[in-house]
Amino acid sequence: MTRLPRGLGLERFSGLYLWAVLIVVFSVWQPLYFPTMATVHSIAADRSIAAMLALAILVPLACGAFDLSVGATANISTISAVMLVNDDWAWPTVVVVCTLLGTLIGAVNGFIVVKLKVSSFITTLGTSSMIAAFQIIITDNAQPLPPINASWAAFTQSTILGFQVVVVYMLILAVLLWWVLQHTPVGRYLFAIGSSPEAARLSGARVDLYTWLALIASGTIAGLTGAIYASLAGPSLTYGASLLLPAFAAVFLGSTQVIPGRFNVWGTVLAIFVLATGVKGLQLATNAQWLDPMFSGGALVAAVAVALGRQRAAEEKARRKLVRGEAPSDARVAAAP
Amino acid sequence: MSTGTSSATAGTDSAPALDIVGLTKTFVGGHALRDVDLRIGAGEVHALLGENGSGKSTLIKTLSGFHRPDPGASIRIGGEELVTGSAASSYALGARFVHQDLGLVEDCSVSDNLAFGPGFPTRFGTIRGRAARARAARALESVGVEVDPDRHVGRLSPAQKTGVAVARALLDDESSPVHLLVLDEPTARLPEHEVEALLEIVGRVSARGIGVLYVTHRLDEVFAVATAATVLRDGVRMTTQPVAGLTRDSLLHHLLGAALEAQERPPLRSDPASEPALSVTGLGSESLHGIDLEVRPGEVVGVAGITGSGRDSLLGTVFGARHRDHGEVRVAGRRVGADRPDRAMAAGVAYVPAERKLEGCFVDLPARENIGFGSLRSLWRGAGLSRRREHDLATGWFERLDVRPRSGTERAMSTFSGGNQQKIVYGKWFERQPVLFLLDEPTQGVDVGAKAELHRALFEAAERGAAVLVSSSDTEELIAVCDRVLVLRVGELVEELVGDEISAHALTRACLGIEPDQASDLMEVMESEGDPADLRHPHLTTDPPDHPVDHRSDRAAVGSLEGDLR
């Protein structure tokens, strides 16, 4: 798990090279359909929601906490947004309310994890089920009607340089999180807690506070993502759960990229779009429906296997270096008297 | 062939359990072992001593078939030549190993643990529980361990666990009878009162005609259990002698060489009139009862005490790492609340915990971030943390504390050796320029050279006006660095030794609570140039002969204080 800057090393940016290979292969295979701006825009817009959920997961993962409830949170936020817009609420109010709904869910998760000492995995597994139950209660398990509201649609359905504006939202979020995680003390505290909570506490990090804040952040981002999805695609009762796994796959795959051995923003974003490109290309070529879940699941398992294998290799290397490094110092001590 | 290794133990006609001739192991850049000879007779207990990095582990790993030695070495186990680098050959010739980490499954029963290796006795695929238990009971009895095979390993005492591990290692295997048992620091994690039980197990094993290679740091165990001892230093065998001809001093001399004489206590540096950097009143917790103490700027104060005295929890409780029930802690006059390390740090306290890898550093993060973590505020530059400044800061500490490798600031903490890790931890705290250092076992697992450098860095900090409180089980260290030593017994501060009063004997006496006149006989034995092995004989001490148990526990405690040469 060393972090040696290795320039444009094959290892750190293997995802970029893979991406390039995929693009070339599919461009040759499907010259009519694949290498078009339409493909670029559709991948970018389709995957921005998954990317935002992945970024939401990234924050608690940095400090060693799982948030499995982001999918359910985004979903209930979407449903709430649609219902509020149908009730003629102004769209900025809707976005704020739905985001705050996510914040509330994150705060509850944090309370259970920090105060009741339940593991984050169990906590968010449980709360996500409860959130899904709430969603059934407020909808009667019937999908609300898609809102007919121009300003609400304009929130996400405009374009900038041909890209849908959600891509820009996602990139703004990515830059913000990159700055927080890589360039502020908060990020250092989170990664330190993820490395060793007790060592972090004894080095002055408020472990409970930061764990709580991280879960609040993931809930908030999920809430916001849900509102954006509502405007982009309209109501859906199930998309949240189906995005959870691709989001985790991207975060873990991302931890093998850019800053290997550490969950990081640009690795995550890269992983999302490399996976999406592969899936899109194959879908264009074969029209198969099972590709996306197959790819996401496989990528998750493969990413963790690669990360663990690399960790073992690094430890082995370190062990060998230690043996080598100590030997000369022994010789030095022996030579002294 | 080594001289003086053979001992007058049983089985002289049978082949020696272990016979190593000319063992050299070279790693890239240096020797880990140089031309080492070692011979252990059947039924002999042979102690192997050496500082960290002396080559003990390499020797053991060569025996177990993990390392392949340089050509030319001959290793015979039970008279048969070992196929080097082959774990299967090591097992087949009858070598068995019990490592420090016993490798028992805590959640399973003793009989399950004994069956994992050879397999469970079964009928039609179903475990025959009674047969498994009976077999386990036989194995336990053969090493003299009295435990119910149905008990969960997690509920056993540390000595009992070690006993189970020994029983597992010695399980009957008709195809390869056991000739050699290697015990790697079996008592490192045992409390004093359990050591005796383990030594009895070792005696049982050797009585079966099995040669025992007993690796330890504790000198008193050598005299209690071994018939001969070998000392390694820097990969070279310094001596092999029958224990009967050895003294503590000669062993220490072989172990440490010049390092022993190099220790020098610095003069008192503090101004007694100055305001205390730390003042603690009425400190109470689970293991501490009403501790009052003061440390002044420039002072290095030690904390001594045996296991259970509260010594190992005092500093953590002052800092807030451990829970404080009552009492007040003031740092430079400012009150510091309980259980808040962050507040203590803000008041200018640095705390180096004893468990470095778990609590002291972030093993998977780079050294640079480990050092910078304590000074994030000073690294903030307008729009973010300045990586350049952090890099300079880390490089600076690598140079000042001589961390090797020098260019390793971006390497993960786990890639450094123990001594260098500890230096990096010190760098993190030094950068904060604390007014008070709380150091728990500050040089545990650190080699002699790094130890001296860390002590020097501490003296420099004290000279600049920092107060230092050191808790250590290493008596030599306390003598070497402290102006005063506070002695704890059963959670209370019972004595204070100042300046020239600090000596190994005075510390031992104070820690054990022996009155000077009562202790004189015991001390006489320890001071005498004679054979310390005589400590084993009760008639030389004041303990009434009809209470041998009390005597043993005292002696074990003496050993842990004086003989523990981490």
Side-chain angles (χ1 to χ4, degrees):
Chain A
M1 300 272 268
T2 49
R3 282 187 52 214
L4 301 174
R6 294 205 194 99
L8 295 173
L10 194 64
E11 195 178 32
R12 283 182 71 201
F13 294 108
S14 52
L16 277 181
Y17 298 114
L18 178 63
W19 202 5
V21 169
L22 287 175
I23 290 170
V24 170
V25 166
F26 288 120
S27 299
V28 174
W29 191 2
Q30 296 287 320
L32 280 182
Y33 303 110
F34 187 79
T36 62
M37 282 317 278
T39 308
V40 173
H41 293 319
S42 103
I43 289 176
D46 280 359
R47 297 301 168 137
S48 288
I49 298 294
M52 289 177 78
L53 278 190
L55 293 173
I57 292 168
L58 177 65
V59 182
L61 270 184
C63 74
F66 280 87
D67 189 346
L68 303 175
S69 67
V70 288
T73 304
N75 216 140
I76 199 169
S77 164
T78 299
I79 296 297
S80 309
V82 170
M83 292 170 78
L84 292 177
V85 170
N86 285 342
D87 276 357
D88 290 332
W89 289 43
W91 73 265
T93 321
V94 172
V95 173
V96 170
V97 167
C98 290
T99 306
L100 287 178
L101 175 67
T103 310
L104 176 70
I105 293 171
V108 171
N109 282 336
F111 174 82
I112 299 171
V113 170
V114 169
K115 293 294 175 188
L116 306 185
K117 311 278 180 207
V118 180
S119 86
S120 57
F121 194 93
I122 299 296
T123 300
T124 54
L125 194 62
T127 53
S128 69
S129 177
M130 288 156 67
I131 295 164
F134 271 115
Q135 186 177 299
I136 296 173
I137 293 169
I138 61 174
T139 59
D140 255 341
N141 215 15
Q143 191 160 302
L145 292 173
I148 309 158
N149 182 326
S151 66
W152 172 244
F155 167 42
T156 56
Q157 293 175 15
S158 53
T159 57
I160 293 179
L161 301 173
F163 286 95
Q164 285 199 328
V165 74
V166 279
V167 182
V168 178
Y169 294 156
M170 186 274 290
L171 287 174
I172 291 172
L173 178 68
V175 169
L176 181 70
L177 285 185
W178 165 74
W179 177 73
V180 170
L181 291 178
Q182 287 307 124
H183 295 279
T184 71
V186 175
R188 289 299 177 79
Y189 285 131
L190 291 177
F191 285 116
I193 293 166
S195 169
S196 167
E198 187 59 9
R201 189 175 79 87
L202 298 186
S203 301
R206 306 276 307 277
V207 174
D208 286 352
L209 177 71
Y210 282 103
T211 307
W212 201 331
L213 286 178
L215 288 166
I216 287 177
S218 64
T220 306
I221 296 169
L224 175 65
T225 308
I228 291 173
Y229 182 89
S231 164
L232 187 69
S236 159
L237 291 176
T238 55
Y239 82 96
S242 68
L243 282 187
L244 188 64
L245 191 111
F248 266 96
V251 177
F252 278 93
L253 205 55
S255 75
T256 67
Q257 299 291 313
V258 187
I259 311 173
R262 185 179 276 202
F263 297 113
N264 69 87
V265 169
W266 299 119
T268 302
V269 173
L270 178 66
I272 284 272
F273 288 108
V274 173
L275 278 177
T277 305
V279 169
K280 186 77 179 181
L282 285 173
Q283 274 174 346
L284 285 174
T286 66
N287 211 16
Q289 293 304 304
W290 47 265
L291 284 163
D292 201 352
M294 179 69 86
F295 253 58
S296 299
L300 178 62
V301 175
V304 174
V306 166
L308 289 177
R310 179 178 292 162
Q311 193 179 343
R312 273 197 305 275
E315 277 165 10
E316 176 65 13
K317 206 165 134 193
R319 199 183 61 77
R320 280 203 304 270
K321 275 206 180 117
L322 260 186
V323 172
R324 254 181 279 160
E326 268 176 11
S329 84
D330 281 355
R332 182 170 51 85
V333 174
Chain B
M1 224 18 198
S2 59
T3 53
T5 52
S6 61
S7 70
T9 46
T12 42
D13 51 333
S14 60
L18 176 67
D19 192 0
I20 300 176
V21 179
L23 173 61
T24 299
K25 172 69 189 171
T26 315
F27 292 112
V28 180
H31 295 283
L33 290 172
R34 228 176 303 179
D35 199 20
V36 170
D37 300 339
L38 183 65
R39 187 188 160 97
I40 303 179
E44 182 190 347
V45 179
H46 195 111
L48 179 64
L49 297 116
E51 292 263 86
N52 296 325
S54 61
K56 284 176 308 185
S57 332
T58 311
L59 179 67
I60 296 172
K61 285 180 176 169
T62 307
L63 287 179
S64 67
F66 182 82
H67 285 314
R68 195 184 288 274
D70 295 359
S74 154
I75 301 174
R76 286 171 169 274
I77 296 170
E80 303 274 332
E81 187 79 29
L82 173 76
V83 180
T84 55
S86 158
S89 163
S90 168
Y91 180 88
L93 296 185
R96 301 289 185 272
F97 299 83
V98 174
H99 296 285
Q100 231 187 87
D101 172 19
L102 301 172
L104 297 171
V105 185
E106 301 252 324
D107 288 338
C108 291
S109 72
V110 171
S111 75
D112 283 356
N113 268 282
L114 289 171
F116 286 142
F120 288 86
T122 56
R123 182 183 294 134
F124 309 124
T126 307
I127 293 175
R128 292 162 56 211
R130 202 179 297 164
R133 270 196 298 281
R135 202 171 65 181
R138 270 201 311 281
L140 292 169
E141 202 198 327
S142 69
V143 294
V145 184
E146 285 172 19
V147 275
D148 179 358
D150 285 335
R151 282 192 78 179
H152 275 212
V153 167
R155 297 187 166 190
L156 301 181
S157 75
Q160 285 173 325
K161 285 182 195 171
T162 312
V164 171
V166 171
R168 189 186 53 184
L170 299 182
L171 277 175
D172 287 337
D173 184 344
E174 282 172 11
S175 59
S176 68
V178 181
H179 289 110
L180 175 70
L181 176 67
V182 178
L183 294 169
D184 188 3
E185 296 193 37
T187 50
R189 283 159 201 269
L190 291 190
E192 285 89 22
H193 59 274
E194 301 236 322
V195 170
E196 197 67 28
L198 181 86
L199 297 187
E200 271 171 31
I201 294 171
V202 175
R204 281 282 196 111
V205 172
S206 72
R208 285 167 60 183
I210 296 170
V212 179
L213 181 61
Y214 190 94
V215 183
T216 187
H217 273 311
R218 298 183 174 184
L219 296 191
D220 60 309
E221 289 167 14
V222 176
F223 297 109
V225 75
T227 43
T230 291
V231 179
L232 288 181
R233 195 166 87 221
D234 301 323
V236 177
R237 185 173 60 88
M238 303 308 293
T239 184
T240 298
Q241 283 183 33
V243 165
L246 271 176
T247 64
R248 293 184 79 87
D249 283 349
S250 63
L251 266 185
L252 276 175
H253 181 78
H254 287 306
L255 271 169
L256 300 174
L260 193 62
E261 287 97 56
Q263 284 163 347
E264 192 182 313
R265 206 156 49 73
L268 201 67
R269 289 168 292 263
S270 70
D271 171 10
S274 58
E275 196 205 356
L278 169 70
S279 82
V280 172
T281 45
L283 185 72
S285 75
E286 199 182 345
S287 52
L288 300 167
H289 314 294
I291 302 278
D292 299 321
L293 64 89
E294 283 188 352
V295 185
R296 289 174 202 290
E299 229 184 350
V300 181
V301 177
V303 181
I306 59 171
T307 307
S309 64
R311 176 192 60 74
D312 48 1
S313 68
L314 175 63
L315 303 196
T317 312
V318 169
F319 183 63
R322 287 161 178 269
H323 182 61
R324 186 209 307 175
D325 287 328
H326 29 82
E328 191 181 79
V329 173
R330 282 177 184 274
V331 175
R334 265 168 76 188
R335 272 188 65 173
V336 176
D339 308 339
R340 283 295 293 270
D342 53 317
R343 297 243 171 97
M345 280 173 64
V349 186
Y351 175 61
V352 176
E355 293 276 353
R356 180 173 53 242
K357 283 185 179 156
L358 294 176
E359 302 179 345
C361 67
F362 308 105
V363 288
D364 55 346
L365 299 186
R368 168 178 55 78
E369 289 189 15
N370 268 282
I371 290 179
F373 195 73
S375 313
L376 293 176
R377 196 168 294 174
S378 74
L379 296 173
W380 183 262
R381 286 285 176 280
L385 295 170
S386 163
R387 181 159 302 195
R388 171 157 297 281
R389 222 187 102 53
E390 189 176 43
H391 175 81
D392 293 346
L393 189 148
T395 311
W397 284 110
F398 266 53
E399 274 165 23
R400 284 182 63 179
L401 297 174
D402 191 24
V403 180
R404 306 287 177 91
R406 280 291 172 79
S407 57
T409 53
E410 290 301 318
R411 283 201 189 185
M413 200 70 172
S414 57
T415 64
F416 291 89
S417 70
N420 285 315
Q421 283 180 352
Q422 193 74 333
K423 286 179 183 174
I424 293 168
V425 172
Y426 273 57
K428 172 179 87 175
W429 290 112
F430 278 137
E431 179 62 31
R432 291 177 59 86
Q433 303 189 331
V435 295
L436 171 67
F437 285 90
L438 301 172
L439 310 173
D440 248 334
E441 302 286 5
T443 54
Q444 185 170 289
V446 168
D447 57 86
V448 179
K451 197 170 178 173
E453 281 169 280
L454 288 172
H455 286 164
R456 204 174 309 128
L458 269 188
F459 294 149
E460 278 172 27
E463 260 158 39
R464 285 195 304 272
V468 182
L469 193 56
V470 181
S471 161
S472 179
S473 58
D474 180 348
T475 313
E476 303 290 341
E477 174 162 65
L478 291 177
I479 298 169
V481 302
C482 296
D483 303 316
R484 287 193 285 145
V485 176
L486 310 171
V487 180
L488 296 185
R489 274 203 310 266
V490 232
E492 286 174 24
L493 210 162
V494 291
E495 206 163 334
E496 177 174 338
L497 303 172
V498 182
D500 293 337
E501 292 170 24
I502 307 170
S503 69
H505 300 159
L507 281 172
T508 308
R509 180 191 55 70
C511 288
L512 296 177
I514 307 169
E515 295 303 316
D517 53 334
Q518 191 193 333
S520 59
D521 283 354
L522 179 63
M523 290 307 132
E524 225 166 72
V525 173
M526 309 205 49
E527 277 164 11
S528 73
E529 292 293 312
D531 179 5
D534 284 344
L535 262 177
R536 275 180 289 169
H537 304 307
H539 66 265
L540 279 180
T541 73
T542 55
D543 288 301
D546 51 335
H547 289 106
V549 176
D550 294 343
H551 159 66
R552 280 202 298 266
S553 65
D554 270 359
R555 186 175 53 71
V558 173
S560 83
L561 276 160
E562 296 222 330
D564 204 330
L565 292 166
R566 289 167 212 271

